[in-house]
Amino acid sequence: QVQLVESGGGLVQPGGSLRLSCAASGFIFGSYVMKWYRQAPGKERRLVATITSDGGRKNYADSVKGRFTISRDNAENTVYLQMNSLKPEDTAVYYCNTYYSGINYWGKGTLVTVSS
């Protein structure tokens, strides 16, 4: 069965950096697009970044362009989100996502809090 497990969240000061990881299992990771979403309190879940199966193409929400970088290591079945120059507005639960065999899969999420 498909499993996605996020890690790396925590408390960080504005301007700081954090790297999130998502460990995947239960499917051929290297054949699928992976995405990061985030959900702030009281708001809907929003797409943050997308990466193609081979890592050759990446897309970002306008709000994080130039600050966040998505990457993946298919040998380790892991997708990453490097977050730099963090702002309080980045505070949210971050979720790893993939669409596999007609089902949208999500991890449990990891909380990122940007505050001084």
Side-chain angles (χ1 to χ4, degrees), residues 1 3 5-6 14 16 28 34 41 43 47-48 62 65 69 76-77 80 88 93 97 102-103 105-108 113 116:
Q1 58 186 29
Q3 288 189 309
V5 181
E6 303 95 338
I28 307 300
M34 298 298 297
K43 295 188 175 181
L47 178 64
V48 175
D62 288 343
K65 285 181 179 177
T69 302
E76 297 293 328
N77 287 358
Y80 304 95
V93 177
N97 165 269
I103 299 174
Y105 288 93
W106 304 90
K108 292 182 178 180
T113 302
S116 58

mmCIF file of all heavy atoms in Angstrom, residues 1 3 5-6 14 16 28 34 41 43 47-48 62 65 69 76-77 80 88 93 97 102-103 105-108 113 116:
data_model
loop_
_atom_site.group_PDB
_atom_site.id
_atom_site.type_symbol
_atom_site.label_atom_id
_atom_site.label_comp_id
_atom_site.label_asym_id
_atom_site.label_seq_id
_atom_site.Cartn_x
_atom_site.Cartn_y
_atom_site.Cartn_z
ATOM 1 N N GLN A 1 0.829 -1.175 0.000
ATOM 2 C CA GLN A 1 0.000 0.000 0.000
ATOM 3 C C GLN A 1 0.880 1.247 0.000
ATOM 4 O O GLN A 1 1.974 1.239 0.538
ATOM 5 C CB GLN A 1 -0.943 0.013 1.197
ATOM 6 C CG GLN A 1 -0.251 -0.060 2.534
ATOM 7 C CD GLN A 1 -1.245 -0.184 3.671
ATOM 8 O OE1 GLN A 1 -2.342 -0.723 3.507
ATOM 9 N NE2 GLN A 1 -0.852 0.301 4.851
ATOM 10 N N GLN A 3 2.409 4.647 0.986
ATOM 11 C CA GLN A 3 2.646 5.394 2.209
ATOM 12 C C GLN A 3 3.565 6.565 1.920
ATOM 13 O O GLN A 3 4.554 6.428 1.201
ATOM 14 C CB GLN A 3 3.263 4.519 3.295
ATOM 15 C CG GLN A 3 2.301 3.511 3.894
ATOM 16 C CD GLN A 3 2.882 2.819 5.108
ATOM 17 O OE1 GLN A 3 3.997 2.303 5.054
ATOM 18 N NE2 GLN A 3 2.129 2.809 6.191
ATOM 19 N N VAL A 5 5.504 9.644 4.181
ATOM 20 C CA VAL A 5 5.826 10.074 5.534
ATOM 21 C C VAL A 5 6.719 11.302 5.476
ATOM 22 O O VAL A 5 7.880 11.209 5.073
ATOM 23 C CB VAL A 5 6.513 8.956 6.336
ATOM 24 C CG1 VAL A 5 6.803 9.441 7.753
ATOM 25 C CG2 VAL A 5 5.642 7.713 6.371
ATOM 26 N N GLU A 6 6.170 12.444 5.895
ATOM 27 C CA GLU A 6 6.921 13.690 5.915
ATOM 28 C C GLU A 6 7.710 13.827 7.210
ATOM 29 O O GLU A 6 7.309 13.316 8.253
ATOM 30 C CB GLU A 6 5.983 14.899 5.788
ATOM 31 C CG GLU A 6 5.095 14.890 4.551
ATOM 32 C CD GLU A 6 3.733 14.303 4.812
ATOM 33 O OE1 GLU A 6 3.576 13.535 5.791
ATOM 34 O OE2 GLU A 6 2.798 14.612 4.045
ATOM 35 N N PRO A 14 12.195 33.869 11.252
ATOM 36 C CA PRO A 14 12.111 34.492 9.927
ATOM 37 C C PRO A 14 13.496 34.672 9.327
ATOM 38 O O PRO A 14 14.440 35.068 10.016
ATOM 39 C CB PRO A 14 11.445 35.837 10.216
ATOM 40 C CG PRO A 14 10.624 35.575 11.440
ATOM 41 C CD PRO A 14 11.457 34.630 12.273
ATOM 42 N N GLY A 16 15.233 32.207 8.228
ATOM 43 C CA GLY A 16 15.920 30.940 8.383
ATOM 44 C C GLY A 16 15.584 29.946 7.290
ATOM 45 O O GLY A 16 14.825 30.236 6.365
ATOM 46 N N ILE A 28 6.093 2.445 -7.458
ATOM 47 C CA ILE A 28 7.355 2.703 -8.143
ATOM 48 C C ILE A 28 7.578 4.206 -8.151
ATOM 49 O O ILE A 28 7.142 4.919 -9.054
ATOM 50 C CB ILE A 28 7.362 2.134 -9.571
ATOM 51 C CG1 ILE A 28 6.974 0.652 -9.571
ATOM 52 C CG2 ILE A 28 8.735 2.328 -10.211
ATOM 53 C CD1 ILE A 28 7.904 -0.222 -8.749
ATOM 54 N N MET A 34 5.679 13.987 -8.040
ATOM 55 C CA MET A 34 5.492 14.240 -6.617
ATOM 56 C C MET A 34 5.227 15.727 -6.401
ATOM 57 O O MET A 34 5.733 16.574 -7.136
ATOM 58 C CB MET A 34 6.720 13.809 -5.816
ATOM 59 C CG MET A 34 7.039 12.321 -5.897
ATOM 60 S SD MET A 34 5.717 11.261 -5.240
ATOM 61 C CE MET A 34 5.677 11.777 -3.519
ATOM 62 N N PRO A 41 -3.661 27.534 9.005
ATOM 63 C CA PRO A 41 -4.901 27.488 9.790
ATOM 64 C C PRO A 41 -6.020 28.308 9.159
ATOM 65 O O PRO A 41 -5.820 29.464 8.788
ATOM 66 C CB PRO A 41 -4.479 28.080 11.136
ATOM 67 C CG PRO A 41 -3.019 27.787 11.220
ATOM 68 C CD PRO A 41 -2.510 27.948 9.817
ATOM 69 N N LYS A 43 -7.350 28.022 6.293
ATOM 70 C CA LYS A 43 -7.255 28.170 4.849
ATOM 71 C C LYS A 43 -7.280 26.813 4.159
ATOM 72 O O LYS A 43 -7.090 25.773 4.785
ATOM 73 C CB LYS A 43 -5.982 28.920 4.469
ATOM 74 C CG LYS A 43 -5.944 30.360 4.950
ATOM 75 C CD LYS A 43 -4.751 31.088 4.378
ATOM 76 C CE LYS A 43 -4.762 32.555 4.761
ATOM 77 N NZ LYS A 43 -3.603 33.274 4.168
ATOM 78 N N LEU A 47 -1.198 24.130 -3.443
ATOM 79 C CA LEU A 47 -0.022 23.531 -4.064
ATOM 80 C C LEU A 47 1.181 24.456 -3.900
ATOM 81 O O LEU A 47 1.097 25.649 -4.184
ATOM 82 C CB LEU A 47 -0.290 23.272 -5.541
ATOM 83 C CG LEU A 47 0.856 22.676 -6.358
ATOM 84 C CD1 LEU A 47 1.208 21.279 -5.857
ATOM 85 C CD2 LEU A 47 0.478 22.620 -7.832
ATOM 86 N N VAL A 48 2.304 23.890 -3.476
ATOM 87 C CA VAL A 48 3.537 24.636 -3.277
ATOM 88 C C VAL A 48 4.547 24.361 -4.383
ATOM 89 O O VAL A 48 5.146 25.282 -4.944
ATOM 90 C CB VAL A 48 4.167 24.309 -1.907
ATOM 91 C CG1 VAL A 48 5.523 24.986 -1.751
ATOM 92 C CG2 VAL A 48 3.228 24.734 -0.782
ATOM 93 N N ASP A 62 3.785 30.992 -7.011
ATOM 94 C CA ASP A 62 4.429 32.302 -7.068
ATOM 95 C C ASP A 62 4.934 32.759 -5.703
ATOM 96 O O ASP A 62 5.967 33.431 -5.604
ATOM 97 C CB ASP A 62 3.459 33.342 -7.622
ATOM 98 C CG ASP A 62 3.207 33.175 -9.106
ATOM 99 O OD1 ASP A 62 4.000 32.487 -9.785
ATOM 100 O OD2 ASP A 62 2.205 33.735 -9.594
ATOM 101 N N LYS A 65 8.509 31.063 -5.167
ATOM 102 C CA LYS A 65 9.538 31.087 -6.211
ATOM 103 C C LYS A 65 10.760 31.870 -5.761
ATOM 104 O O LYS A 65 10.649 32.957 -5.214
ATOM 105 C CB LYS A 65 8.979 31.687 -7.497
ATOM 106 C CG LYS A 65 8.065 30.760 -8.265
ATOM 107 C CD LYS A 65 7.564 31.412 -9.551
ATOM 108 C CE LYS A 65 6.665 30.471 -10.324
ATOM 109 N NZ LYS A 65 6.106 31.110 -11.534
ATOM 110 N N THR A 69 13.068 25.100 -3.073
ATOM 111 C CA THR A 69 13.550 24.213 -4.123
ATOM 112 C C THR A 69 13.071 22.797 -3.857
ATOM 113 O O THR A 69 13.319 22.250 -2.782
ATOM 114 C CB THR A 69 15.084 24.215 -4.203
ATOM 115 O OG1 THR A 69 15.565 25.544 -4.429
ATOM 116 C CG2 THR A 69 15.554 23.322 -5.346
ATOM 117 N N GLU A 76 16.483 6.586 -3.325
ATOM 118 C CA GLU A 76 16.086 6.556 -1.922
ATOM 119 C C GLU A 76 14.584 6.710 -1.729
ATOM 120 O O GLU A 76 14.108 6.730 -0.593
ATOM 121 C CB GLU A 76 16.813 7.655 -1.147
ATOM 122 C CG GLU A 76 18.328 7.492 -1.113
ATOM 123 C CD GLU A 76 18.756 6.276 -0.324
ATOM 124 O OE1 GLU A 76 18.053 5.909 0.653
ATOM 125 O OE2 GLU A 76 19.787 5.671 -0.674
ATOM 126 N N ASN A 77 13.838 6.824 -2.818
ATOM 127 C CA ASN A 77 12.377 6.997 -2.758
ATOM 128 C C ASN A 77 11.985 8.181 -1.872
ATOM 129 O O ASN A 77 11.067 8.086 -1.043
ATOM 130 C CB ASN A 77 11.698 5.726 -2.248
ATOM 131 C CG ASN A 77 11.695 4.600 -3.262
ATOM 132 O OD1 ASN A 77 12.172 4.748 -4.385
ATOM 133 N ND2 ASN A 77 11.157 3.456 -2.873
ATOM 134 N N TYR A 80 12.253 16.024 -1.523
ATOM 135 C CA TYR A 80 12.650 17.040 -0.565
ATOM 136 C C TYR A 80 12.064 18.399 -0.922
ATOM 137 O O TYR A 80 11.738 18.676 -2.075
ATOM 138 C CB TYR A 80 14.172 17.185 -0.531
ATOM 139 C CG TYR A 80 14.919 15.912 -0.234
ATOM 140 C CD1 TYR A 80 15.402 15.116 -1.269
ATOM 141 C CD2 TYR A 80 15.146 15.498 1.070
ATOM 142 C CE1 TYR A 80 16.090 13.945 -1.012
ATOM 143 C CE2 TYR A 80 15.832 14.329 1.341
ATOM 144 C CZ TYR A 80 16.305 13.556 0.296
ATOM 145 O OH TYR A 80 16.990 12.392 0.563
ATOM 146 N N PRO A 88 6.941 34.474 8.077
ATOM 147 C CA PRO A 88 5.818 34.024 8.904
ATOM 148 C C PRO A 88 4.650 33.486 8.076
ATOM 149 O O PRO A 88 3.954 32.571 8.526
ATOM 150 C CB PRO A 88 5.417 35.293 9.672
ATOM 151 C CG PRO A 88 6.694 36.051 9.790
ATOM 152 C CD PRO A 88 7.405 35.814 8.484
ATOM 153 N N VAL A 93 0.995 23.472 7.813
ATOM 154 C CA VAL A 93 1.300 22.050 7.761
ATOM 155 C C VAL A 93 1.622 21.712 6.315
ATOM 156 O O VAL A 93 0.836 22.018 5.418
ATOM 157 C CB VAL A 93 0.127 21.191 8.266
ATOM 158 C CG1 VAL A 93 0.447 19.711 8.127
ATOM 159 C CG2 VAL A 93 -0.178 21.521 9.725
ATOM 160 N N ASN A 97 2.448 14.648 -1.605
ATOM 161 C CA ASN A 97 1.319 14.138 -2.376
ATOM 162 C C ASN A 97 1.756 13.433 -3.652
ATOM 163 O O ASN A 97 2.733 13.828 -4.293
ATOM 164 C CB ASN A 97 0.386 15.305 -2.736
ATOM 165 C CG ASN A 97 -0.608 14.960 -3.833
ATOM 166 O OD1 ASN A 97 -0.324 15.167 -5.020
ATOM 167 N ND2 ASN A 97 -1.764 14.449 -3.450
ATOM 168 N N GLY A 102 -5.403 6.203 -9.775
ATOM 169 C CA GLY A 102 -6.685 6.861 -9.619
ATOM 170 C C GLY A 102 -6.981 7.412 -8.245
ATOM 171 O O GLY A 102 -8.101 7.873 -8.002
ATOM 172 N N ILE A 103 -6.014 7.399 -7.343
ATOM 173 C CA ILE A 103 -6.213 7.867 -5.979
ATOM 174 C C ILE A 103 -5.181 8.915 -5.621
ATOM 175 O O ILE A 103 -3.999 8.761 -5.931
ATOM 176 C CB ILE A 103 -6.147 6.697 -4.973
ATOM 177 C CG1 ILE A 103 -7.237 5.673 -5.272
ATOM 178 C CG2 ILE A 103 -6.278 7.208 -3.540
ATOM 179 C CD1 ILE A 103 -7.156 4.417 -4.424
ATOM 180 N N TYR A 105 -2.974 10.461 -2.932
ATOM 181 C CA TYR A 105 -2.414 10.052 -1.645
ATOM 182 C C TYR A 105 -1.725 11.209 -0.947
ATOM 183 O O TYR A 105 -1.061 12.037 -1.578
ATOM 184 C CB TYR A 105 -1.418 8.910 -1.836
ATOM 185 C CG TYR A 105 -2.062 7.599 -2.196
ATOM 186 C CD1 TYR A 105 -2.216 7.228 -3.528
ATOM 187 C CD2 TYR A 105 -2.526 6.735 -1.216
ATOM 188 C CE1 TYR A 105 -2.820 6.031 -3.870
ATOM 189 C CE2 TYR A 105 -3.126 5.532 -1.548
ATOM 190 C CZ TYR A 105 -3.272 5.187 -2.876
ATOM 191 O OH TYR A 105 -3.869 3.990 -3.204
ATOM 192 N N TRP A 106 -1.854 11.223 0.381
ATOM 193 C CA TRP A 106 -1.277 12.266 1.222
ATOM 194 C C TRP A 106 -0.559 11.657 2.410
ATOM 195 O O TRP A 106 -0.964 10.625 2.941
ATOM 196 C CB TRP A 106 -2.368 13.193 1.770
ATOM 197 C CG TRP A 106 -3.231 13.823 0.725
ATOM 198 C CD1 TRP A 106 -4.390 13.329 0.204
ATOM 199 C CD2 TRP A 106 -2.996 15.074 0.077
ATOM 200 N NE1 TRP A 106 -4.900 14.194 -0.729
ATOM 201 C CE2 TRP A 106 -4.068 15.272 -0.827
ATOM 202 C CE3 TRP A 106 -2.004 16.041 0.177
ATOM 203 C CZ2 TRP A 106 -4.155 16.410 -1.629
ATOM 204 C CZ3 TRP A 106 -2.089 17.165 -0.619
ATOM 205 C CH2 TRP A 106 -3.162 17.343 -1.508
ATOM 206 N N GLY A 107 0.501 12.331 2.846
ATOM 207 C CA GLY A 107 1.089 11.997 4.122
ATOM 208 C C GLY A 107 0.295 12.650 5.230
ATOM 209 O O GLY A 107 -0.699 13.342 4.994
ATOM 210 N N LYS A 108 0.723 12.450 6.462
ATOM 211 C CA LYS A 108 0.054 13.058 7.607
ATOM 212 C C LYS A 108 0.417 14.527 7.780
ATOM 213 O O LYS A 108 -0.273 15.260 8.480
ATOM 214 C CB LYS A 108 0.389 12.294 8.885
ATOM 215 C CG LYS A 108 -0.195 10.900 8.932
ATOM 216 C CD LYS A 108 0.135 10.219 10.249
ATOM 217 C CE LYS A 108 -0.480 8.832 10.319
ATOM 218 N NZ LYS A 108 -0.152 8.155 11.601
ATOM 219 N N THR A 113 6.600 26.154 11.569
ATOM 220 C CA THR A 113 6.219 27.399 12.219
ATOM 221 C C THR A 113 7.361 28.392 12.088
ATOM 222 O O THR A 113 8.474 28.126 12.554
ATOM 223 C CB THR A 113 5.894 27.173 13.702
ATOM 224 O OG1 THR A 113 4.850 26.205 13.822
ATOM 225 C CG2 THR A 113 5.451 28.478 14.348
ATOM 226 N N SER A 116 9.515 34.528 15.449
ATOM 227 C CA SER A 116 10.592 34.964 16.314
ATOM 228 C C SER A 116 10.173 34.934 17.780
ATOM 229 O O SER A 116 10.947 35.211 18.665
ATOM 230 C CB SER A 116 11.042 36.380 15.934
ATOM 231 O OG SER A 116 9.957 37.292 16.016
#
